[in-house]
C-alpha cells in the first residue's frame, strides 16, 4: 500500500519528505540514537494538499485497525487543514489512489459543493444496497463492505470547521469498513472528517464499488468466499 500510493504521488510531482524523530541520552553517541517515529510526507505541487504515511508512527486506530495514510487539504499554502481523511492498513490501494486523483483534479481542494447524496447515488449505481433501518448506510450485495454517513468519534478525527470543535455538536462524516465475516474483525477501515468534500468521498466510493479486477499477491483468510479470483494473463 505504501509503495503503490507513494509511487503515484511521486509520479504526479508531489514532494517526498521523510520525517524521523528520535531521542538520545546525553552520554550516547550519534549512532546510538533511538528512532521513535519515522513517517513519509508527500506535498502536492500547489502545497494545498498533502498525504502522510503514518503506519510507523504512534498508531491512530479506526476500530482495531491502525491508520496507514492520512490525507489533508487547506485553502491557502499557509493555512491549517480544512479536512482530514484516514485510511487504515489494508484499505484497497486503488481506492486511496483514486481519492488522490480526484483531489488533484479538484479546483478547490479545501471545499466541496456537493451534498452527501452524491456518495449514496454512486454506491447505488454500482449495485450497493441501503440498510432498511438506516438509509444513510449502504453495503455491497454480499454485505462484506459498508459505507455510512454518520456521527464521527469524538476523539482522533480532526477537522477545520469551528463548529466541529464544539464538544456539544455531533460531527457527521463518512465512514467505510470491510468485515467479510461478522465477528471476525475488520479487514480495513476509512474515515473522512466532517468537512471532506462529498465528491471526493464519492470518488473513493466509486473505486471501492468498482467490479474491475485488481492485482493481489496474497488474499486475507477472512475474505474466503467473498472474492472472485481469476488468473492473470
Amino acid at each position: 500500500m505504501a509503495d503503490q500510493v507513494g509511487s503515484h504521488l511521486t509520479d504526479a510531482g508531489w514532494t517526498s519528505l521523510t520525517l524521523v524523530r528520535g531521542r538520545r541520552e546525553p552520554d550516547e553517541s550519534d549512532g546510538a540514537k533511538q528512532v521513535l517515529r519515522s513517517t513519509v510526507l508527500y506535498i502536492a505541487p500547489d502545497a494545498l494538499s498533502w498525504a502522510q504515511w503514518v503506519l510507523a508512527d504512534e498508531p491512530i486506530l479506526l476500530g482495531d485497525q491502525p491508520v496507514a495514510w492520512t490525507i489533508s487539504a487547506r485553502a491557502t499554502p499557509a493555512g491549517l487543514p480544512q479536512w482530514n481523511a484516514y485510511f487504515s492498513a489494508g484499505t484497497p490501494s486503488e481506492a486511496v489512489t483514486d481519492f488522490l486523483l480526484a483531489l488533484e483534479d479538484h479546483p478547490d481542494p479545501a471545499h466541496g459543493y456537493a451534498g452527501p447524496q452524491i456518495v449514496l447515488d454512486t454506491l447505488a449505481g454500482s449495485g450497493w444496497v441501503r440498510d432498511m433501518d438506516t438509509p444513510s448506510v449502504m453495503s455491497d450485495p454480499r454485505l462484506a463492505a459498508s459505507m455510512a454517513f454518520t456521527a464521527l468519534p469524538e476523539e482522533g478525527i480532526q477537522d477545520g470547521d469551528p463548529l466541529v470543535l464544539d464538544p456539544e455538536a455531533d460531527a457527521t462524516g463518512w465512514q467505510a469498513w470491510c468485515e467479510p465475516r461478522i465477528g471476525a474483525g475488520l479487514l480495513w477501515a476509512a474515515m473522512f472528517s466532517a468537512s471532506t468534500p462529498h465528491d471526493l468521498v464519492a470518488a473513493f466510493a466509486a473505486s471501492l464499488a468498482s467490479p474491475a479486477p485488481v492485482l493481489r499477491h496474497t488474499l486475507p483468510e477472512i475474505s474466503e468466499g467473498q472474492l472472485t479470483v481469476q488468473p492473470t494473463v
Side-chain angles (χ1 to χ4, degrees):
M1 184 181 182
D3 291 339
Q4 290 171 306
V5 177
S7 294
H8 161 74
L9 294 171
T10 300
D11 292 343
W14 290 46
T15 301
S16 173
L17 301 172
T18 299
L19 308 178
V20 178
R21 287 163 284 177
R23 69 182 179 194
R24 187 184 70 209
E25 298 299 329
D27 58 346
E28 289 180 332
S29 65
D30 290 343
K33 184 177 181 180
Q34 302 176 56
V35 175
L36 300 182
R37 302 180 183 179
S38 178
T39 67
V40 182
L41 176 67
Y42 297 86
I43 303 174
D46 62 6
L48 296 181
S49 308
W50 62 96
Q52 189 168 4
W53 172 258
V54 296
L55 191 59
D57 207 332
E58 294 179 355
I60 303 169
L61 295 180
L62 298 181
D64 57 357
Q65 296 296 307
V67 171
W69 282 101
T70 63
I71 298 172
S72 311
R74 56 191 172 188
T76 65
L80 297 174
Q82 180 66 24
W83 56 262
N84 296 278
Y86 307 81
F87 303 92
S88 82
T91 306
S93 57
E94 297 82 8
V96 179
T97 299
D98 285 342
F99 180 84
L100 285 163
L101 286 170
L103 176 58
E104 291 170 10
D105 292 338
H106 207 276
D108 182 0
H111 303 98
Y113 305 99
Q117 189 64 38
I118 190 175
V119 181
L120 300 173
D121 291 344
T122 296
L123 293 171
S126 294
W128 284 40
V129 295
R130 289 179 184 262
D131 185 285
M132 293 184 62
D133 297 322
T134 312
S136 61
V137 178
M138 298 194 71
S139 301
D140 77 285
R142 295 185 178 184
L143 304 180
S146 302
M147 285 194 71
F149 188 59
T150 184
L152 297 173
E154 294 182 359
E155 298 182 357
I157 306 303
Q158 299 180 354
D159 193 87
D161 186 346
L163 294 178
V164 176
L165 301 178
D166 183 351
E168 297 184 359
D170 291 329
T172 303
W174 287 100
Q175 299 185 46
W177 65 93
C178 182
E179 187 180 18
R181 299 186 185 281
I182 296 176
L186 298 180
L187 187 59
W188 56 262
M191 199 167 295
F192 306 85
S193 74
S195 297
T196 307
H198 296 291
D199 50 346
L200 295 182
V201 181
F204 173 85
S207 183
L208 184 63
S210 171
V214 295
L215 182 63
R216 292 291 184 271
H217 295 290
T218 58
L219 301 177
E221 292 183 2
I222 63 173
S223 66
E224 183 178 354
Q226 295 284 350
L227 302 176
T228 300
V229 180
Q230 63 185 55
T232 58
V233 294

